[in-house]
Amino acid sequence: MNVDQTVKSYYEQILQRNAGEPEFHQAVAEVLESLKHVLQKNDHYSKDGLIERMCEPERQIIFRVPWVDDKGQVQVNRGFRVQFNSVLGPYKGGLRFHPSVNLGIIKFLGFEQIFKNSLTGLPIGGGKGGSDFDPKGKSDHEVMRFCQSFMTELNRHIGDKVDVPAGDIGVGGREIGYLFGQYRRMNNRHESGVLTGKGLQWGGSLVRTEATGFGTVYFTQEMMNAGGERLDGARVIVSGSGNVAIYAIQKAQELGATVVGFSDSSGYVSTPDGVDVELLRDVKENRRERVATYAKEANDAEFHENGNIWEIEADVALPCATQNELDGESAKLLADNGVKFVAEGANMPCTPEAVEVFRKRKIHFAPGKAANAGGVATSALEMQQNASRDSWTFEYTDKRLKGIMRNIYRACADTAAEYDVEGDYVAGANIAGFRKVADAMLAQGVI
Ligand code: NDP
């Protein structure tokens, strides 16, 4: 069989064995496409069922999460933890609480996480979890009761040397606090390294909150410099207004860019003169309100209900909300409006059609598993601080993050060049991430 046929047969098996999981199919298809370059050159990666094993989670846990709401009614949600690959270290990856969560979404995120974590150069495996619970509109006590019930089951599957969850969509500092409290109570252990994204007083790391957004901007800066351009003075669109988006906006503006728009699922806000980050943080993090409130309270900001944020004119686009939020049509709009650089702060926000448009229109494109790896990398730095009972300064931790993002950029660029696809950061990220995991799996035998 030639490489095309081999890859096709891997993909057909994925479709057959994982029916009804389109996001997982999409994530695997993208990686397999890149692996054609590797399998052509290094045929030992086709042996020992390596690719088949890599696409099959080591363990998938699905559980009932019953809880009582403020009216005394019993609610039932579904919890997930997919422990995908632990060849490089304990499973590591966030928890997502969003009504759209299902097994296929958690598997796509867990699969991406394997290669992302490998790219960080730190000893962490890949996993992901979450629930179809929607924290929006729930009281703090409802969120707490849900988190306690969720952890009552999850607790038996995690540990600082086993599996270390963190936040993702719908899971921020508040939720991590309730989850950690329940874990501590059930195990009678103050095991700091079991979760990351903790509060600073109880084992959290400085920079973890900012890390994904900051890291995405550091990666973007590297990519722009290599393309002969500067972030300083550029106009940047950032979709979303959650954890990743807020700190991407902050860092982009600190480095001299103007952020001309951001969004949530109700629409977007155009901000031609830049974003007031303090106000945005107050609206979103303290008051837990929508972006329309920001537009009401800010100077020079306009809310576009149900509008498409990708219609704003800019130089750089950072999708930081959710998967498949930027499609082929929006990608054409971006290209027509002069965008030259796109970096994914979210996981898989660009559809395959959008990525194809970027390729054709020569837009520099950084995939999420490279560009947003700063979050999990800083989680691994939090684990290091917990293991040594130490806490580092903001400046030192940020310097480590910057160094990691620079190394990830170099790994993507150099690997793409090595496989004769210079500038293709998708192939570079997938291949560089894959090789380390693959070599370790081959060394550790068929398990
Ligand atoms: P948050 O919950 O803090 O924010 C999510 C943001 O995305 C909100 O503005 C939300 O708007 C918007 N959003 C979510 N779903 C949709 C949707 N279906 N349509 C439109 N907008 C939507 O999550 P994070 O910022 O933590 O995560 C954002 C992305 O970054 C995700 O893809 C996540 O997997 C990825 N990521 C996060 C990391 C982290 O450290 N937090 C690390 C690496 C990747 P609304 O409030 O209206 O729902």
Side-chain angles (χ1 to χ4, degrees):
M1 268 204 284
N2 66 27
V3 167
D4 283 333
Q5 286 167 330
T6 309
V7 164
K8 189 160 175 262
S9 88
Y10 289 142
Y11 187 60
E12 278 164 3
Q13 279 180 47
I14 293 293
L15 293 180
Q16 198 192 350
R17 289 167 59 83
N18 305 275
E21 298 177 354
E23 292 86 1
F24 180 55
H25 303 161
Q26 185 182 335
V28 175
E30 185 213 274
V31 171
L32 287 179
E33 188 59 34
S34 301
L35 293 190
K36 285 182 184 170
H37 303 287
V38 187
L39 299 175
Q40 202 103 45
K41 272 195 181 176
N42 318 91
D43 73 345
H44 67 286
Y45 288 134
S46 315
K47 300 200 174 113
D48 282 351
L50 176 75
I51 309 277
E52 291 93 328
R53 285 188 286 135
M54 214 179 262
C55 296
E56 181 71 19
E58 288 174 14
R59 193 172 299 106
Q60 310 182 50
I61 302 146
I62 304 181
F63 51 98
R64 179 169 67 206
V65 191
W67 57 281
V68 181
D69 68 18
D70 286 348
K71 296 190 191 108
Q73 302 286 323
V74 173
Q75 303 284 340
V76 180
N77 285 100
R78 189 171 292 167
F80 302 88
R81 187 72 185 166
V82 172
Q83 299 180 330
F84 224 118
N85 193 307
S86 60
V87 76
L88 298 180
Y91 308 106
K92 182 91 197 81
L95 297 171
R96 175 176 294 190
F97 293 168
H98 192 270
S100 64
V101 163
N102 58 39
L103 182 61
I105 287 183
I106 298 298
K107 278 168 69 180
F108 119 63
L109 291 163
F111 184 72
E112 291 270 298
Q113 198 81 46
I114 304 169
F115 307 102
K116 180 189 306 192
N117 293 4
S118 162
L119 279 171
T120 66
L122 297 162
I124 40 179
K128 197 84 187 187
S131 174
D132 57 0
F133 172 74
D134 187 359
K136 248 187 243 138
K138 304 286 191 300
S139 70
D140 283 351
H141 277 149
E142 288 178 320
V143 171
M144 180 181 74
R145 287 194 293 273
F146 172 81
C147 288
Q148 290 176 340
S149 179
F150 184 85
M151 182 52 87
T152 300
E153 173 60 33
L154 186 70
N155 135 78
R156 71 185 85 225
H157 307 290
I158 62 175
D160 63 357
K161 294 187 174 56
V162 183
D163 184 353
V164 183
D168 190 80
I169 291 179
V171 179
R174 174 182 62 171
E175 290 74 17
I176 293 291
Y178 295 147
L179 291 164
F180 186 77
Q182 183 72 350
Y183 183 87
R184 184 171 59 76
R185 171 201 207 179
M186 294 186 74
N187 294 280
N188 193 25
R189 277 164 70 91
H190 199 290
E191 186 184 329
S192 319
V194 71
L195 289 171
T196 58
K198 299 180 294 294
L200 295 176
Q201 309 84 346
W202 38 281
S205 172
L206 286 164
V207 190
R208 176 60 191 92
T209 305
E210 297 86 351
T212 309
F214 277 21
T216 301
V217 173
Y218 294 147
F219 193 102
T220 305
Q221 206 179 17
E222 295 286 333
M223 180 167 71
M224 291 182 78
N225 293 346
E229 303 227 10
R230 290 166 59 86
L231 182 60
D232 186 5
R235 291 163 307 164
V236 181
I237 313 170
V238 178
S239 67
S241 49
N243 172 265
V244 180
I246 289 173
Y247 294 98
I249 293 170
Q250 180 182 323
K251 184 51 72 178
Q253 295 199 151
E254 277 174 16
L255 295 175
T258 304
V259 174
V260 290
F262 60 87
S263 61
D264 64 18
S265 56
S266 66
Y268 77 86
V269 177
S270 52
T271 52
D273 297 328
V275 177
D276 176 345
V277 178
E278 281 310 304
L279 176 61
L280 180 60
R281 286 190 53 192
D282 184 45
V283 169
K284 296 294 297 192
E285 293 181 344
N286 299 337
R287 294 191 258 154
R288 296 183 187 275
E289 289 186 23
R290 319 289 296 151
V291 294
T293 305
Y294 173 94
K296 263 190 223 135
E297 297 179 16
N299 300 322
D300 304 322
E302 192 182 343
F303 178 58
H304 305 255
E305 195 171 355
N306 297 322
N308 179 4
I309 188 169
W310 309 119
E311 68 194 18
I312 303 176
E313 280 187 24
D315 308 297
V316 178
L318 305 178
C320 295
T322 194
Q323 65 274 359
N324 294 327
E325 55 163 312
L326 200 171
D327 63 11
E329 287 308 309
S330 295
K332 283 185 200 147
L333 212 52
L334 287 179
D336 292 343
N337 283 341
V339 165
K340 290 205 199 110
F341 297 89
V342 178
E344 294 185 326
N347 285 311
M348 211 169 73
C350 301
T351 65
E353 295 75 27
V355 177
E356 193 46 39
V357 172
F358 300 149
R359 222 185 288 267
K360 283 204 182 114
R361 304 284 294 266
K362 303 221 175 328
I363 289 175
H364 302 258
F365 172 65
K369 60 171 78 69
N372 72 34
V376 73
T378 309
S379 275
L381 300 182
E382 182 173 332
M383 291 163 73
Q384 283 185 22
Q385 292 168 76
N386 294 152
S388 58
R389 300 192 182 281
D390 199 358
S391 55
W392 305 341
T393 63
F394 192 95
E395 289 69 27
Y396 175 73
T397 316
D398 188 38
K399 198 167 142 211
R400 292 280 304 264
L401 168 64
K402 222 180 267 177
I404 291 168
M405 295 315 295
R406 190 170 303 131
N407 289 343
I408 295 176
Y409 174 78
R410 277 263 61 87
C412 296
D414 293 350
T415 309
E418 184 186 335
Y419 284 86
D420 301 321
V421 283
E422 203 150 342
D424 183 344
Y425 299 118
V426 175
N430 285 334
I431 297 170
F434 164 83
R435 281 200 305 205
K436 206 166 134 199
V437 175
D439 291 343
M441 285 179 74
L442 291 174
Q444 292 182 25
V446 177
I447 48 171

